[in-house]
Amino acid sequence: MIERLQTLEDRYEKLNELLSDPEVISDTNKLREYSKEQSGLQETVAAYREYKEVTEQLDDAKVMLEDKLDADMAEMVKEEIHELSTRKQELEERLKVLMLPKDPNDDKNVIMEVRGAAGGDEAALFAGDLYRMYARYAETQGWKTEIIEANANDVGGYKEVIFMVTGDMAYSKLKFENGAHRVQRVPETESGGRIHTSTATVVVMPEAEEVEVEIHDKDIRVDTFASSGPGGQSVNTTMSAVRLTHEPTGIVVSCQDEKSQIKNKEKAMKVLRARVYDKFQQEAQAEYDESRKSAVGTGDRSERIRTYNFPQTRVTDHRIGLTLQKLDQILQGNLGEIIDALLIEEQTKKLEQIGE
């Protein structure tokens, strides 16, 4: 591991030189590529440098203890050795985690799709709750959200809402939200006060770059149609809405959120590219899962991952058995405690697999 860490530090230093090179500075693509690579190495290199410094101090302290010291000085050195040994062990554990294989999509932006499933209007209302929860969580992370397509119902919920989350390491945290979310509560329309159970599904896809998934123009059928629903004067009068069909996979994406046909096509293309990329990823994951179950179950879209129980004000994540009596806070976007627990579980599983 030390050899690998030293290689990473050497590469980090090389990137520092490259980022000061006038040729690189004048090349936008190279500058972005090297900056991204350097940013990805920064935390690991900082921990490794501290590890080397602590190791050197520990070795010096041990040598000092071999000299003839008075009792007070010897006690001070022993205490320093204890503190440095503890810190060295902490850094070793931290470096093990930092050196784990990384999901190549972790630093990407995200396209999320939330749909009301079982439960009619109540499921659509819950889908709206989930969308707002993610939008608020994104805000706490300094990320930006943008609705790509929304199909609202008459009671203030969403039959479907597709939105993009743009920000640092968005996929690394939101990828665990894939799956079926269940809500247990008394609907406002329920006069008898009975608790209903409804579900909404969440799909999380990394934004795919053009170089990562090849989509040919000849494979896409483009249809235009008049917008419907809220939107102002242009609704039902201009052919601004766009539907893209990727004929090799049968994936269909439509977008009518913008008044401009060009903008709608751009948004629809982002979703199409992400869905095609996601389809290939899911197929690869399914093959992998035949031989080894995935760490925290982020791949199975039909899996019921979480329950939101209103009468007991609790949220339970079924994959890790975590229950929190913080329903209101979580729906307000305070998802950090759940996501951190899922990240730790994922890291633990990876460490166990490496040890096998």
Side-chain angles (χ1 to χ4, degrees):
M1 185 174 79
I2 298 299
E3 288 180 6
R4 288 172 61 204
L5 285 164
Q6 187 58 53
T7 301
L8 291 180
E9 186 183 27
D10 293 343
R11 177 58 180 169
Y12 186 82
E13 289 298 333
K14 180 63 177 177
L15 288 167
N16 276 337
E17 293 176 18
L18 289 168
L19 289 169
S20 302
D21 188 324
E23 286 188 19
V24 172
I25 292 170
S26 63
D27 186 327
T28 307
N29 290 330
K30 277 189 176 180
L31 185 64
R32 183 172 61 246
E33 179 188 341
Y34 291 151
S35 296
K36 184 177 176 182
E37 185 183 354
Q38 187 197 47
S39 177
L41 291 175
Q42 195 164 4
E43 187 179 2
T44 304
V45 170
Y48 175 53
R49 285 174 173 172
E50 186 184 353
Y51 173 80
K52 288 196 296 183
E53 186 179 339
V54 167
T55 301
E56 186 178 343
Q57 290 173 357
L58 182 60
D59 290 342
D60 290 345
K62 287 179 178 177
V63 169
M64 188 183 297
L65 194 61
E66 292 174 3
D67 296 337
K68 292 181 180 179
L69 303 172
D70 61 48
D72 289 342
M73 181 61 75
E75 191 60 37
M76 286 175 60
V77 173
K78 286 178 183 177
E79 187 176 335
E80 183 181 5
I81 288 172
H82 174 72
E83 290 174 358
L84 289 168
S85 297
T86 301
R87 182 58 183 155
K88 182 182 178 183
Q89 189 173 359
E90 290 171 353
L91 287 166
E92 284 173 351
E93 294 303 315
R94 178 69 183 141
L95 286 166
K96 283 179 187 176
V97 171
L98 288 169
M99 293 296 286
L100 287 172
K102 288 182 172 59
D103 186 328
N105 295 316
D106 274 354
D107 62 350
K108 291 184 179 177
N109 299 327
V110 166
I111 291 174
M112 296 186 73
E113 302 181 357
V114 183
R115 295 180 177 86
D121 284 345
E122 176 62 15
L125 284 169
F126 180 48
D129 291 337
L130 291 177
Y131 162 67
R132 286 182 286 274
M133 177 182 76
Y134 294 128
R136 288 163 182 154
Y137 175 68
E139 192 176 341
T140 68
Q141 301 299 304
W143 301 335
K144 178 187 173 186
T145 56
E146 178 187 12
I147 288 182
I148 293 174
E149 182 72 351
N151 183 2
N153 71 351
D154 296 333
V155 295
Y158 289 106
K159 295 176 183 176
E160 175 187 65
V161 56
I162 302 171
F163 57 101
M164 186 163 183
V165 182
T166 306
D168 185 38
M169 303 298 287
Y171 185 76
S172 71
K173 295 183 178 180
L174 290 171
K175 63 184 176 182
F176 300 110
E177 298 304 301
N178 260 326
H181 296 241
R182 181 175 68 170
V183 63
Q184 295 171 323
R185 63 183 172 188
V186 179
E188 292 180 13
T189 54
E190 172 58 56
S191 58
R194 290 173 297 181
I195 296 171
H196 285 224
T197 297
S198 306
T199 57
T201 59
V202 176
V203 173
V204 183
M205 299 176 292
E207 183 188 18
E209 303 289 340
E210 289 186 41
V211 295
E212 294 173 309
V213 54
E214 197 171 12
I215 296 180
H216 301 289
D217 289 343
K218 64 182 177 63
D219 293 332
I220 301 175
R221 187 176 77 244
V222 181
D223 299 305
T224 58
F225 56 99
S227 299
S228 60
Q233 296 292 325
S234 64
V235 175
N236 292 321
T237 61
T238 61
M239 304 294 280
S240 60
V242 174
R243 182 185 299 110
L244 303 181
T245 303
H246 185 243
E247 295 186 331
T249 60
I251 293 172
V252 180
V253 177
S254 61
C255 184
Q256 58 179 9
D257 197 58
E258 300 284 348
K259 293 180 182 180
S260 159
Q261 186 184 114
I262 293 172
K263 288 183 178 178
N264 278 328
K265 187 177 179 182
E266 286 175 357
K267 283 188 171 184
M269 195 64 202
K270 282 186 178 182
V271 177
L272 180 64
R273 191 177 291 115
R275 285 187 184 171
V276 171
Y277 181 68
D278 183 63
K279 175 180 169 62
F280 296 147
Q281 275 204 311
Q282 292 295 315
E283 289 172 355
Q285 185 68 40
E287 289 181 17
Y288 176 81
D289 286 350
E290 283 297 315
S291 58
R292 182 171 222 145
K293 189 63 181 169
S294 60
V296 193
T298 55
D300 188 354
R301 299 280 165 77
S302 64
E303 180 186 11
R304 189 189 73 204
I305 64 167
R306 196 173 298 147
T307 295
Y308 305 73
N309 185 294
F310 275 70
Q312 298 176 19
T313 65
R314 65 173 166 80
V315 175
T316 299
D317 194 290
H318 304 290
R319 294 164 294 180
I320 54 176
L322 175 67
T323 296
L324 299 172
Q325 303 293 146
K326 300 178 180 179
L327 176 65
D328 291 345
Q329 294 177 40
I330 288 166
L331 288 177
Q332 286 298 317
N334 295 321
L335 278 167
E337 193 170 348
I338 294 176
I339 288 173
D340 287 347
L342 288 163
L343 281 166
I344 290 169
E345 178 72 7
E346 180 189 52
Q347 291 167 356
T348 302
K349 294 288 185 184
K350 285 181 177 178
L351 286 168
E352 287 174 355
Q353 288 173 8
I354 289 172
E356 289 177 7

